Amino acid sequence: MAEETRYITCVLCEASCGLEVKVDGPTVVSIRGHKEDPLSRGHICPKAIALQDLHTDPDRLRTPVRRVGAPGADATWEPIGWDEAFDLVAERIVAIQAEHGADAVAAYLGNPNVHSLGALTHGVNLVRTIKSRNTFSATSVDQLPHHLNAMLLYGHQFLLPVPDIDRTQLLVLIGNNPMASNGSMMTVPGFPGRLRELKARGGRLVVLDPRRTETAKVADAHHFIRPGTDAYVLLAILHVLTTEGLTKPAEYVRGLAEVAAAVAPFTPDRAEPMSGMPAAEIIALARQIASAESAAVHGRMGVSTQEHGAICQWAVQCINALTGNLDRPGGTMFTTPAIDLIGKRMLGAGHLGAWSSRVRGLPEFGGELPVSVLAEEISTPGDGQIKGLVCLAGNPVSSTPAGDDLGDALAGLDFMVAIDFYITETSRYADVILPPTGPLERDHYDLVFHLLAVRNTARWSSALFDKPEEARHDWEIAKELALRIVTLREKKALADAEGLTGLANTAATAVKDLPKTVEAQARFRSTPKQQVDLLLKALGTGLSVKKLAQTPGGADLGPLEPRLPQRLYTEDKLVHLGQPLITQAIAALDAAGATAHNGVGDELLLIGRRAQRDNNSWLHNVPRLTSGKPRHRLLIHPTDAAERDIRDGDVVDITSAAGKVSIDCHLTDDVMPGVVCLPHGYGHARADGIRLEHAKTLAGVSFNELSDPQRTEAITGNAILNGIPVGVSRAD
Ligand SMILES: Nc1nc2c(c(=O)[nH]1)N[C@H]1C(S)=C(S)[C@@H](COP(=O)(O)OP(=O)(O)OC[C@H]3O[C@@H](n4cnc5c(=O)[nH]c(N)nc54)[C@H](O)[C@@H]3O)O[C@H]1N2
Ligand SMILES: Nc1nc2c(c(=O)[nH]1)N[C@H]1C(S)=C(S)[C@@H](COP(=O)(O)OP(=O)(O)OC[C@H]3O[C@@H](n4cnc5c(=O)[nH]c(N)nc54)[C@H](O)[C@@H]3O)O[C@H]1N2
Ligand code: SF4
Ligand SMILES: [Mo]
């Protein structure tokens, strides 16, 4: 067969690189970065190469399976047909909701949903069809504080400014390691190259992180900061800005006086002993940000998933806004996406606390409850208890606090379905697993990441290969389930109304006589591709799927442009920095004095890390990504190790309020004293019965046996995954 060159999008991380793929019939010959791509300009990382391994992976499920026997090593999985599987799942969901109420079926949406066009166009609609207040997603182990602050300050949870990295003169990254993660809440393919350009034009990179990360190593300055104490430093920066008269906010930015009042108690001198960052360095950094020709401050996982995530993300926005860097070239800017889901009001502006979780009373945000309450909502008996779960592209047993306890809870469910192509730590508890097509078999358009990209572009990616005839896309699975659920419900309602018993009596009712089903059919009718095409055309972009498909790399819509105040969704088109919700939390922080979670006695503070060739909880069975030095080890500072008589390579016990694991350690002064560091997404070998037979290594333990679901961020209930007090000792 003839070799052919194709251009597709990599969907494995937020960078969304454009790839140039050579194929020969059904075989991938090579995968490279696409040099002419206007966004990613040729960038690629090793994970993209693994797309072909994923495509041919013998561990991947290709047909629906039903579990026979209890979850665990003795369970067997029996292939079943799609039709039978859809009926089974729909019947169980409808039956549970009929008996126990709508909220008795929960949904968890994992991270890969945002990387799947069909999951966004149809999967989200399936969740709406389930209509449960018990809806959860990876957002609450991730970026929830960003959405809260975007809603409060800019009037919409998805109006998130991104650093204008291609023009800035000073980039300040806090709790963010793009050299490994390729950027987050900032679609920045090719961070290393963009950093080189920043330096070449005389710009600087400053990093605040408890670990000397890959990014810290290439920065102009790196400041160690004790986990969980960034709030003190960020508020102290605002203290310097407001007391030294270094503020120059745009006209539409209000609340300087409220900010100044809120941060008054937070002096650099107070921040120093808390954070370990010298007061003089905090003052110097504040002045640098204020005086730089342009500056962009960005905080990510390290300051989102920690005790004071909401305050930290607010402070980051305030620093940018008060120094006049919000919405100006080289500062932090808003995108102008070709498909503007915000402008089209297809994404809600967000709300907080419209309802609360049943057991602990944590608030919903934007229709979702914090996933830290999922296990207790399943295992606590009473009205409203969760009895069934639909898990879409998620592995919460690995990814969420006390995931091992969540696993125990899942075992007690009446029914669970997982939409996933692997038997994982989580899907092994499912009664039925429905495997979708893989990334090379589906069309893609980045509905989410064009919203967060450092440059305005629009890229259509056609499926590289046709899917096998029997296979189903994520969107087809979602559509089929939703339609069968609606139909069953309607037939049941009809039967109830007619006083008949059982569904059998209405089985003969034709679908065309069921108005809700007909309406749902219309809602789910169009394909993801048709929806993108419609949106592009409706928005008058002059673009279409056809046009984009003919342009490798897509359309270049140019650098980010100033958008404020027009783009604001606040009622008065102003940005009000003085937000009572946040300033009250700051007052509480002030009153609390030294935090109890600052590592008391001989406790150390546990933080996470990502490696370039890791991908959250999956792809650990891809040999190409798992070769080389072990990446699962606990990093510990030599001083802390010596105090505990621990040597390099020793197995250590790590104990937290939530659990205990044992793992080999590595001594390094890349972590600051008092801090230990472990990656998440490992520990597959601890779960019985998962099928990753081709894994090169199943080493490691799950970080989330140590994270504590009882300890969450005070305003949003976001998980605390960084700055966890732990005891570390040499294992016997
Ligand atoms: N301790 C600690 N925990 C963390 C983090 C941390 O830093 N530290 N990070 C958190 C963050 S930021 C996130 S986003 C979460 C991620 O955690 P999750 O939301 O659990 O997502 P993943 O681990 O990326 O993948 C979940 C599953 O999706 C499946 N999958 C992959 N692609 C597809 C697809 O196209 N369709 C379907 N149906 N399934 C697919 C995979 O097989 C995998 O089993 O973890 C969080 N957990
Ligand atoms: N290769 C790879 N890339 C990925 C992923 C992956 O699993 N692998 N996951 C993707 C996902 S889902 C996401 S959300 C993004 C996340 O992307 P990043 O935000 O870059 O996530 P991390 O690499 O976890 O970096 C968090 C950093 O915060 C630091 N940190 C921990 N605690 C604190 C603290 O209290 N204060 C400060 N200042 N720093 C702290 C850690 O040392 C770490 O360097 O990455 C995405 N990209
Ligand atoms: S950086 Fe992310 S999007 Fe780019 S090739 Fe690597 S995994 Fe894919
Ligand atoms: Mo994430």
Side-chain angles (χ1 to χ4, degrees):
M1 266 182 243
E3 204 172 274
E4 202 192 335
T5 304
R6 302 277 299 275
Y7 299 91
I8 63 166
T9 300
C10 177
V11 295
L12 291 179
C13 89
E14 296 177 44
S16 298
C17 296
L19 306 179
E20 182 187 288
V21 185
K22 291 204 176 358
V23 292
D24 189 348
T27 312
V28 173
V29 178
S30 68
I31 301 182
R32 293 199 182 85
H34 177 210
K35 288 206 178 65
E36 309 302 322
D37 189 286
L39 179 62
S40 63
R41 309 180 313 184
H43 182 71
I44 187 168
C45 86
K47 283 199 289 180
I49 313 291
L51 283 169
Q52 59 195 301
D53 301 309
L54 174 61
H55 184 61
T56 54
D57 186 355
D59 286 337
R60 231 179 88 188
L61 296 175
R62 311 278 165 173
T63 59
V65 289
R66 174 167 52 195
R67 178 168 45 76
V68 182
D74 298 331
T76 54
W77 294 91
E78 172 185 284
I80 53 172
W82 281 103
D83 206 44
E84 188 188 351
F86 287 138
D87 272 343
L88 176 66
V89 175
E91 273 164 25
R92 299 295 287 125
I93 289 173
V94 171
I96 291 174
Q97 289 190 313
E99 190 181 341
H100 302 286
D103 298 337
V105 174
Y108 176 79
L109 289 128
N111 170 279
N113 285 293
V114 283
H115 298 281
S116 163
L117 172 63
L120 292 175
T121 56
H122 291 68
V124 173
N125 259 324
L126 166 64
V127 174
R128 284 197 191 118
T129 303
I130 295 170
K131 263 199 201 129
S132 170
R133 286 186 165 190
N134 284 313
T135 298
F136 306 86
S137 83
T139 293
S140 54
V141 280
D142 193 343
Q143 79 286 2
L144 190 43
H146 294 249
H147 295 308
L148 172 79
N149 280 293
M151 178 182 81
L152 296 176
L153 299 176
Y154 311 124
H156 196 292
Q157 58 171 331
F158 286 100
L159 214 49
L160 300 152
V162 285
D164 184 18
I165 186 173
D166 292 342
R167 287 178 290 192
T168 195
Q169 287 303 106
L170 175 64
L171 181 62
V172 182
L173 294 178
I174 312 171
N176 184 205
N177 183 17
M179 288 298 282
S181 70
N182 299 299
S184 187
M185 304 303 275
M186 149 171 81
T187 286
V188 57
F191 178 82
R194 292 183 137 103
L195 177 62
R196 275 194 297 277
E197 289 168 18
L198 182 148
K199 291 185 177 187
R201 62 176 181 266
R204 299 180 75 237
L205 168 66
V206 176
V207 170
L208 273 63
D209 201 297
R211 178 166 77 92
R212 192 181 298 111
T213 60
E214 295 82 349
T215 306
K217 284 176 183 166
V218 294
D220 298 278
H222 166 229
H223 304 276
F224 277 126
I225 184 165
R226 194 166 294 129
T229 66
D230 301 78
Y232 293 91
V233 172
L234 294 167
L235 297 177
I237 289 175
L238 286 168
H239 186 275
V240 175
L241 296 175
T242 50
T243 53
E244 295 190 1
L246 299 177
T247 55
K248 44 182 181 232
E251 197 276 324
Y252 54 79
V253 173
R254 302 296 160 85
L256 175 59
E258 284 112 302
V259 175
V263 304
F266 290 89
T267 60
D269 282 337
R270 183 171 173 187
E272 175 172 324
M274 295 299 295
S275 66
M277 183 163 166
E281 289 178 13
I282 297 172
I283 295 167
L285 179 59
R287 290 176 184 161
Q288 274 168 37
I289 296 169
S291 64
E293 204 179 303
S294 60
V297 183
H298 188 61
R300 260 315 268 136
M301 277 305 277
V303 280
S304 307
T305 50
Q306 58 134 291
E307 188 174 5
H308 305 298
I311 296 177
C312 288
Q313 292 300 347
W314 173 85
V316 165
Q317 299 305 324
C318 288
I319 294 169
N320 288 320
L322 289 179
T323 53
N325 282 299
L326 176 67
D327 198 44
R328 76 154 161 182
T332 57
M333 303 188 79
F334 297 94
T335 54
T336 307
I339 296 183
D340 181 9
L341 297 178
I342 300 172
K344 282 302 266 183
R345 305 220 173 234
M346 293 174 68
L347 291 171
H351 41 76
L352 174 70
W355 63 86
S356 307
S357 69
R358 176 180 63 109
V359 179
R360 209 190 314 173
L362 290 194
E364 65 77 42
F365 183 89
E368 292 177 6
L369 288 169
V371 70
S372 287
V373 308
L374 177 55
E376 71 197 24
E377 291 296 331
I378 296 173
S379 49
T380 311
D383 258 7
Q385 184 183 4
I386 295 173
K387 303 273 187 180
L389 175 69
V390 180
C391 187
L392 300 95
N395 190 359
V397 170
S398 173
S399 331
T400 70
D404 48 331
D405 293 345
L406 174 61
D408 295 342
L410 295 181
L413 285 170
D414 287 354
F415 183 76
M416 171 176 164
V417 56
I419 304 179
D420 202 307
F421 31 60
Y422 290 108
I423 300 173
T424 67
E425 293 78 1
T426 301
S427 67
R428 74 192 180 108
Y429 291 102
D431 295 274
V432 177
I433 306 178
L434 305 172
T437 54
L440 297 185
E441 297 160 332
R442 64 185 193 223
D443 297 334
H444 187 67
Y445 182 91
D446 268 309
L447 287 175
V448 171
F449 297 108
H450 282 315
L451 267 176
L452 297 172
V454 298
R455 188 175 181 87
N456 292 315
T457 68
R459 192 200 293 129
W460 175 258
S461 174
S462 292
L464 191 64
F465 299 121
D466 291 339
K467 72 177 172 69
E469 206 176 321
E470 268 310 293
R472 304 288 177 116
H473 296 300
D474 269 316
W475 70 269
E476 292 174 308
I477 296 172
K479 171 182 173 174
E480 204 51 47
L481 280 182
L483 290 180
R484 289 189 200 212
I485 289 170
V486 173
T487 307
L488 265 180
R489 273 186 195 149
E490 207 170 8
K491 286 191 172 185
K492 206 178 171 321
L494 211 65
D496 291 348
E498 289 170 4
L500 303 172
T501 50
L503 292 177
N505 299 310
T506 49
T509 314
V511 160
K512 66 176 170 38
D513 298 329
L514 301 171
K516 283 192 175 137
T517 304
V518 172
E519 187 247 316
Q521 279 173 333
R523 192 153 26 96
F524 281 94
R525 182 171 300 131
S526 48
T527 64
K529 182 176 180 173
Q530 287 166 334
Q531 291 195 23
V532 170
D533 196 50
L534 259 173
L535 281 166
L536 285 170
K537 287 174 180 159
L539 290 162
T541 56
L543 300 171
S544 64
V545 165
K546 192 167 166 204
K547 220 169 181 172
L548 289 181
Q550 288 165 350
T551 324
D556 186 3
L557 308 174
L560 305 184
E561 284 167 10
R563 298 295 314 274
L564 299 194
Q566 293 79 11
R567 180 74 165 154
L568 293 173
Y569 281 81
T570 49
E571 264 169 37
D572 53 8
K573 293 271 178 203
L574 299 172
V575 177
H576 294 279
L577 298 178
Q579 292 291 332
L581 207 53
I582 305 287
T583 49
Q584 281 157 18
I586 294 174
L589 180 65
D590 180 30
T595 96
H597 295 298
N598 207 13
V600 291
D602 65 352
E603 271 177 346
L604 302 173
L605 292 175
L606 176 68
I607 60 167
R609 71 175 181 274
R610 286 172 158 78
Q612 197 191 38
R613 290 186 301 146
D614 284 334
N615 192 32
N616 290 326
S617 75
W618 59 301
L619 294 184
H620 278 143
N621 60 335
V622 174
R624 255 190 266 244
L625 294 183
T626 45
S627 57
K629 277 196 214 153
R631 304 195 295 265
H632 61 270
R633 299 177 299 180
L634 182 81
L635 305 182
I636 183 168
H637 192 275
T639 311
D640 295 321
E643 279 170 12
R644 291 163 179 76
D645 196 20
I646 293 167
R647 280 173 296 271
D648 194 61
D650 279 355
V651 175
V652 295
D653 293 333
I654 316 171
T655 314
S656 74
K660 177 183 167 186
V661 298
S662 304
I663 187 72
D664 39 330
C665 71
H666 177 56
L667 271 52
T668 172
D669 63 6
D670 279 347
V671 287
M672 70 189 290
V675 174
V676 284
C677 175
L678 191 72
H680 73 287
Y682 279 87
H684 311 290
R686 288 164 73 89
D688 279 335
I690 65 163
R691 201 172 81 187
L692 291 172
E693 284 153 17
H694 298 78
K696 163 120 177 147
T697 169
L698 288 178
V701 290
S702 175
F703 183 113
N704 287 316
E705 291 188 34
L706 297 167
S707 50
D708 183 358
Q710 293 301 326
R711 229 188 117 211
T712 56
E713 192 279 324
I715 299 175
T716 60
N718 202 40
I720 298 176
L721 305 171
N722 287 293
I724 300 170
V726 291
V728 177
S729 60
R730 194 148 54 84
D732 301 326

